[in-house]
Amino acid sequence: MSRPVPQTPRLGVCYYPEHWPREWWQDDARRMREMGLSQVRIGEFAWSRIEPASGQFDWTWLDDAIEILYGAGLSVVLCTPTATPPKWLVDAMPDMLALDAEGRPRRFGSRRHYCFSHQGYRLESQRITRAIAERYGQHPAVIAWQTDNEYGCHATTLSWSTSALYEFRRWLARRYADIRALNDAWGNVFWSMEYRSFEQVDLPALTVTEANPAHLLDFRRFASAQVASFNEEQCSILRTLSPGRDITHNFMGFVTDFDHHAVAADLDVAAWDSYPLGFLEQFWFSEEEKLRYARQGHPDIAAFHHDLYRGVGRGRWWVMEQQPGPVNWARFNPAPLPGMVRLWSLEAIAHGAEVVSYFRWRQAPFAQEQMHAGLLRPDRQDDVAANEVRDVAADIAALGLVNTARSPSAPSSRVALVFDYAAQWVTEIQPQGAGFSALRVAFDWYSAVRRLGFDVDIVPPTADLAGYSLILVPCLPVVEDVLRQRLSAVTVPVLIGARTGSKTPEFKIPGLLPPGLLQHLLPIRVARVESLREGLKEVGEGFEVRLWFEHIETNVPAEWSLRDGRGVLFRHRNLRYLAGLLDDAGLQRLMTLIAIEAGLPVRSLPEGVRLRRLGNLQFAFNYNSDPVSIHHILPPSAGCLLGSAELSPAGVTVWRMRDS
Ligand code: GAL
């Protein structure tokens, strides 16, 4: 059992005492408190200082650092340092390195240079976790643990090492028991790919042309399970040696390489690292969006992840690393608009974050991230974000914010959007049309409903869907029976997107044809699919179909059709199926139509403005670099607790709703 959830949202910071002279620590701690911070994450990359040589521990510096922070009234989130195994360890077992798909080692000299399947490294990870937990597990300063750091970062979920190969074979043997079952499941008769024993199966890399997608999907499942079991090993040690503390992990943005729900099953709290400007620059957004939101981030990037990780954390989640200024790792790294760090922080809190923690305290003038801003500059002066953090602390106090009771089963929104990590693996393995991504479809649908002013819960396919007014299933190729049952139990509008139900768990086309099991609820059949290159589109009344189009056989009349009469949107009772990807305007129209039907209060938000409700407080956020008026959204008698009906650039307005 972990401690009760603290009542007030907290602010924190990521700190690296080992980077700075000891004489600075006291002053750092004092200034953290002065800034309104109350918790400090430390230790995730400090293995070489904790254990400079095998078995020789130096705890003195960490003892001092924890005492100083504690003495200043700060709580500590202590990390296991397993993302950065030290050189002596790598030299002692060089085969612990992951190999890339070409078989090249991912060498020492940065971080995350380990293979999740290496049994020797697993033991080392447990040994160092035990050592740290034995020393600090009962320390009153330590309120929580972070396992490792950003599993999967730098494409490290998959490894093509010999350890991975042996573990994969064992995993397959457990899954299929008999090699004939594997041959059957994968369809290995195709191209004479049949095996006679599990020992013959290789990792799916360096094949002449594409490997069997079923082989690839099982490899992804296996790799995901390796991350989960690596994490579980640390968690079980921490639970024993440090009872009563929360255990978390800092997940990432737009990273889907492992099943986060499976990893989070062993955590108390999900955390994620929010870098809205870096993500805008690095991901699929259009040039126009990249320019428009260069200093703000796309208005739905942070929110999408807040809502995703709230689900992953079963209601409890933190922002562990909040971008404080320019980062160092995107193609271009602009500074946030003044006020943006405050906006991002308040938006996280409005979505239910218990903690917003900034990365990092002071910019390091050395090594890889010397161009990455912190709350302080390398010369120890406040950087721009420092004052915004003070503002956030003042806002939290002014609003009297308290963490609302989190019951994992209670919806916090009226709209549920179903997302599954394996859906993304399927569309990565077999895009069929360049750029098709289940994650992107989910994001686009999310964005379309957020523009209408709704709060959204992003939930796994196993979630209880009762209590929602609108259910969206953007793209879920493998539909398990539990989802079919959940959907058959609801009467509210449900929108199901293309490619849903298009594969069996073995990566085959279902015998009934897509949408497979869902045909029991929705009598349509996908007879053919086609992908459309950029510029090639199918046109209907008020919408266009792009990239993906499905030819449907059914007696159900189409609700929306192309000009040539072929159906695009089909409705049977409360369920609709969308047989393609729509352009933005078409998608917006469709979401509006369904939301109205669901009885949701559609609002017309100015471009770049988003809303989120926390308890009886309604927040509005302006992602524009210009002021925007929200007079038409504010209820006539509402007095603003923060901001006003004129939202300044990066402005936040908060008012109390009367209906609760
Ligand atoms: C995160 C990582 C941090 C730091 C940061 C820089 O992905 O967890 O250690 O590298 O990015 O933005």
Side-chain angles (χ1 to χ4, degrees), residues 16 41 44-45 111 149-150 153-154 250 252 273 275 321 327-329 359 369 372:
Y16 301 89
R41 185 195 69 175
E44 79 274 21
F45 302 130
R111 61 178 172 182
N149 189 79
E150 290 192 340
C153 184
H154 316 301
N250 57 334
M252 302 177 70
D273 296 345
Y275 293 93
E321 300 181 11
V327 299
N328 63 302
W329 46 263
F359 183 90
E369 294 180 351
H372 192 299

